[in-house]
Structures are given as C-alpha cells and as structure tokens.
Amino acid sequence: MDVPADAGPTWSDIAAWYDQLVRHGSGPHDTAVACLLGLIPDLAGATVLDVACGQGLATRAVAGAGAAQVVGTDASEAMVALARRHPDPPGSDVSYVVDDAQGLTTFPSGTFDGVTCQLGLMDIPDLDAALGAAHRVLRPGGWFVFVIGHPCVLVPDALPAPRPDGRAAVSITGYFDERFWRSSNPNGVRRAGNHHRTLATYLNGLVRAGLVVDAVDEPLPAPRLVEQQPLYAEVPIFFAARATRRD
Ligand SMILES: C[S@@+](CC[C@H](N)C(=O)[O-])C[C@H]1O[C@@H](n2cnc3c(N)ncnc32)[C@H](O)[C@@H]1O
C-alpha cells in the first residue's frame, strides 16, 4: 500500500500540534497507554524498543512502569526532538533514535526483550516490513505489544449515525477497501494520513512475521475519552495484541 504524493501534512508538519494535544490530556491516549501497559508482561530488567514513538508518550510510560532501558524510535526528526524535551521518569534509562520502523536498521538483531508500537502501525506503509523488523530486533521469546485504531470501526468512510434512542453510533461501509486516507478534519490526528487495513490483514501480518498472538484487547474507554467522544463507550476505539517471537 503506497503513500500517495499528495499535498497533505506529514507527521513532522503536525509534530508540535500533536505534542500539545498529548500534553493537554487526550482521552484516546489515556486509553491507549493503559491498554499498552496492561498487555505488557513483567518489565523488571527488560530492555524495550518503542517503535513510532512520536513525542515519547508510550516510551516514558513503559520506562515509568519499570523497564530497565527503553529506546524510543520514530522516522520523524521533529517528533524525536520533541520527545527529547520531555523529562524522563525518575531513575529511568530512556533514549531516542531517528529510524524507519520498516527496517529499524540502527538496531542489531535479537537485542530487545520487548517491542512496543502504540498508534503507529496504521501510519506505516509497509506492514510486513515493520512486523518483520520488530521480529528481527526481538530476542527469541521476546514480546511485541501494539495498539492500533480499531480497524473495524475507524474505517475511512465511517459516519456518525446517532440512533433514535439518542445513543451514539457509527455507520460503517467500505471496510474491505484497504487504502491510504486522510481525515478532512483540520484538528484531527488522522489528517496526517493513515493506512486502512482489515483486522485479518493485521493478524495475518503477525503470522507471516513469525509472531504468535498470546493476548488481545479491545479496551474500554478511559473516563476522559467517554467525556470527549461518547461514541467510544459504545464501540471500541482500539484493537491491541501481544505476540511473541517463538523462534
Ligand atoms: C499517531 S503517532 C503515535 C506516536 C506515539 N506512539 C503515541 O502513541 O503518541 C504516529 C507516529 O508514527 C510515526 N511514523 C509514521 N511512519 C513511520 C515509519 N515508517 N517509521 C517510524 N515511525 C513512523 C510518525 O512520525 C508518528 O510519530
């Protein structure tokens, strides 16, 4: 799935805006971080790579939850520069590297106990390359935990469709049409574009990469998300999984 050379903003273009969004408190991010940490096994002594780390929200959360060492990596230099400005959790070992998730060429094979990717896989054009790179940098037995926008709900052509009884709902069509798309919302995260893929495509990608699913989640919304977007008390905003490198 290629990224069209359209005139829309890049992640670097909206990096400062994204940093402010996260700093001011975002219901989706509250939900994603809790879900990510809930799927991660014991972090004591673990070295973790946080892929597509953005301004480092999940990187710091994993470090604060007890990992011995966490490296955040993102393709956007602007995002990594913002991540470096945030204070690290006390006593943690956090660093950042600019790299493309589709290769992770900075990192040797078999290095990490865990790889995380929070809200990143749907922004990466070549899913197989990203999952293959995550598998390569994990030690055998290492875990990969990811959170994505729920591919069955965050569909490009989805429309709000409130029910007659007043409950929030969404109308979905075009689910099978995998493609790159952008939100036209000038204040939306997805104006930077993302790749719609079916849930089966994500799960088959894990299979092809040699990552075996141990646990999945469709997290309930954090309180702030219910306040900000009541729809997500009715349908899941995210899908998440933990998968292990077995070989
Ligand atoms: C929605 S943000 C998520 C950032 C962070 N993980 C969080 O939860 O706030 C998506 C991030 O994916 C990064 N990204 C997109 N394509 C990438 C690629 N090929 N390699 C590495 N990072 C990429 C973007 O630069 C952006 O920082």
Side-chain angles (χ1 to χ4, degrees):
M1 218 188 300
D2 294 329
V3 180
D6 63 13
T10 65
W11 279 104
S12 290
D13 292 336
I14 70 164
W17 172 88
Y18 188 81
D19 187 42
Q20 288 304 310
L21 175 83
V22 174
R23 280 176 186 271
H24 286 126
S26 150
H29 290 89
D30 291 352
T31 307
V33 169
C35 175
L36 187 85
L37 294 181
L39 282 170
I40 291 176
D42 185 15
L43 277 170
T47 57
V48 179
L49 181 67
D50 183 36
V51 172
C53 67
Q55 52 84 279
L57 177 68
T59 318
R60 293 185 294 279
V62 171
Q69 185 186 21
V70 189
V71 182
T73 181
D74 198 284
S76 162
E77 288 187 22
M79 284 287 194
V80 168
L82 288 162
R84 288 184 176 129
R85 281 189 213 159
H86 285 261
D88 300 330
S92 65
D93 180 347
V94 174
S95 58
Y96 294 97
V97 173
V98 175
D99 201 352
D100 188 330
Q102 297 163 119
L104 298 175
T105 55
T106 311
F107 304 100
S109 301
T111 311
F112 293 97
D113 299 305
V115 171
T116 51
C117 187
Q118 176 176 287
L119 309 181
L121 286 182
M122 62 277 194
D123 298 300
I124 295 168
D126 189 337
L127 179 67
D128 281 346
L131 295 177
H135 177 278
R136 181 184 64 75
V137 302
L138 281 171
R139 63 164 173 76
W143 46 265
F144 175 56
V145 174
F146 69 91
V147 182
I148 53 174
H150 202 302
C152 304
V153 175
L154 302 180
V155 174
D157 294 328
L159 288 174
R163 289 159 49 103
D165 63 6
R167 285 172 74 183
V170 62
S171 164
I172 291 166
T173 192
Y175 173 71
F176 297 108
D177 185 8
E178 297 194 326
R179 64 194 192 278
F180 178 82
W181 69 288
R182 291 181 190 275
S183 165
S184 56
N185 179 355
N187 296 311
V189 169
R190 282 166 280 152
R191 72 185 189 275
N194 56 159
H195 298 267
H196 170 63
R197 304 180 177 100
T198 66
L199 183 57
T201 292
Y202 280 105
L203 296 179
N204 283 324
L206 293 171
V207 173
R208 276 194 297 276
L211 293 163
V212 179
V213 174
D214 304 312
V216 296
D217 197 8
E218 291 170 311
L220 290 169
R224 184 157 35 195
L225 179 55
V226 179
E227 284 164 30
Q228 293 175 341
Q229 299 181 70
L231 172 66
Y232 296 115
E234 308 287 348
V235 298
I237 186 170
F238 297 133
F239 175 82
R242 181 180 71 238
T244 299
R245 174 177 172 168
R246 295 275 188 236
D247 58 330

